[in-house]
Amino acid sequence: MGAPVKVACVGGGPANLYFSILMKRVDPSHDITIYERNPAGSTYGWGVTYWDELFNDLHRADADSARAISESSVRWDSWVADIRDRATVTVEQGEAGYGISRRRLLGILAERAESLGVRIEWEREITDQDGFGDADLVVAGDGVNSVLRDRHAEHFGPEFHTGQNIYIWLGTTKVFDAFVFAFVETEHGWIWCYGYKYSQEHSTCVIECTPETWRGLGLDQGKEADSLAILEKLFADILDGHPLIGRAQADGTAHWLHFRTLTNRTWHHGNVVLVGDAAHTTHYSIGAGTALALADASVLAKALYQEKDLETALTAYERESKSKLRSPQRAARYSARWFESLPRYIDRSPMQVITLLGQRHSVLQPLVPPALYYQFDRIAGRVGGLFGFGR
């Protein structure tokens, strides 16, 4: 599309912020406004992860924002699996992992976008498309509960698959040196966490269990403070006396959720296009959500630059992004299933559990007895060598 375009971006998340940066770098005359319902500097979540491959892509696309992201990130080279009272195993990763505060990431991208001439209207709630009559393109990056997508649900065809397990997204002042998986057995079943640092002062700690364990431990009944006290006791070994930090709901209860995997039949309708979590979600256990949102932004900006008309550009964007998404979607599906099937694996020897955990994306693993799969993995010479987290 050769001429400057007017773009309305609904949602001030990573996808829309990065898309606006890339569009302005291609042509500063593009007229771009981002509408975000929350105040500047407010966001949910704690830290997000990324890997070397993503950083290299960011550096090629916009070195200034990539440099700022790198300077605000922390790095780890290994992961640790801790199975209470049985073993603690450290495994070296094939590539470095990085964490960054979600708030800091959004701040970097917003500052960069505004420096290039993008307008950001904070605390602007968008409930329909009526205010965008003169926009050439409307980018719906307003999350998994996208208002614009749901207004045209019959066309986009959103489908949700709700996971069996229940989880809570927490922070902690314990700074983990490696990416940590910790498994704790209780009289009501297993409960586990994923922990990773995202600054020099804080880490993210996602805790997951079955609904039966959740109810058995009383996590369904108390206020958030009560839940945090129970969890701090269960994970005392890895927290080293540090507290867990939550974000209570309006009534003071803990923010426990079932993960919802979203797919859409199509990603564009007229001049409206979906990006990021409005288009797709992948289970948090592969740590790819932010990377995939930024990838959407890059592919969309490239398609708009290369194609002559809007419909052709949006079709090209959807085709390429869906193609890139297939592998992480499959990995996320099998990763979530591995944790939902934890009893199948957790009673094996510690080395077998660690190896099976590292290979949890495998299409083959659910079909083969765990002991046989472990032997196959040893024969293939890959024991402990293929973590693949976030790929």
Side-chain angles (χ1 to χ4, degrees), residues 51-65:
W51 276 257
D52 278 330
E53 181 179 1
L54 175 64
F55 177 72
N56 292 336
D57 291 341
L58 297 180
H59 198 274
R60 284 191 293 269
D62 181 50
D64 286 354
S65 58

Side-chain angles (χ1 to χ4, degrees), residues 161-167 192 208-215 256-261 283-284 333 336-343:
H161 171 75
T162 302
Q164 297 175 23
N165 288 345
I166 192 164
Y167 73 99
W192 56 95
E208 179 180 346
C209 61
T210 66
E212 293 76 19
T213 300
W214 177 64
R215 288 190 291 268
W256 290 95
L257 300 166
H258 290 273
F259 188 82
R260 296 190 300 160
T261 298
H283 194 261
Y284 51 82
R333 184 168 63 251
R337 188 178 301 174
W338 194 94
F339 288 105
E340 291 176 347
S341 307
L342 187 69

Side-chain angles (χ1 to χ4, degrees), residues 82-234:
D82 181 275
I83 307 174
R84 175 69 60 81
D85 299 327
R86 287 170 58 189
T88 300
V89 179
T90 300
V91 180
E92 296 301 316
Q93 287 183 199
E95 63 175 319
Y98 301 88
I100 184 172
S101 160
R102 179 177 170 86
R103 177 179 287 108
R104 179 61 183 139
L105 174 64
L106 294 178
I108 289 169
L109 295 178
E111 182 178 345
R112 176 63 172 153
E114 289 181 313
S115 74
L116 294 171
V118 176
R119 291 183 300 278
I120 303 178
E121 296 193 11
W122 304 102
E123 299 183 74
R124 175 74 181 276
E125 184 82 33
I126 300 297
T127 58
D128 54 43
Q129 205 178 332
D130 297 340
F132 307 135
D134 60 343
D136 300 300
L137 176 66
V138 179
V139 185
D142 48 343
V144 66
N145 298 311
S146 170
V147 172
L148 295 187
R149 182 200 64 225
D150 291 346
R151 277 179 59 88
H152 303 284
E154 71 286 349
H155 182 85
F156 288 115
E159 292 186 5
F160 290 93
H161 171 75
T162 302
Q164 297 175 23
N165 288 345
I166 192 164
Y167 73 99
I168 188 169
W169 203 281
L170 302 171
T172 177
T173 54
K174 166 65 178 179
V175 180
F176 297 114
D177 294 328
F179 196 105
V180 174
F181 291 95
F183 299 87
V184 176
E185 188 175 19
T186 76
E187 61 180 314
H188 303 288
W190 287 88
I191 186 168
W192 56 95
C193 79
Y194 321 79
Y196 57 90
K197 62 183 175 181
Y198 64 85
S199 73
Q200 300 295 344
E201 296 83 28
H202 291 91
S203 297
T204 294
C205 197
V206 184
I207 296 176
E208 179 180 346
C209 61
T210 66
E212 293 76 19
T213 300
W214 177 64
R215 288 190 291 268
L217 292 171
L219 296 168
D220 62 325
Q221 298 176 2
K223 297 295 186 181
E224 183 184 71
D226 300 319
S227 291
L228 294 185
I230 294 171
L231 296 173
E232 286 170 356
K233 184 176 180 180
L234 287 169

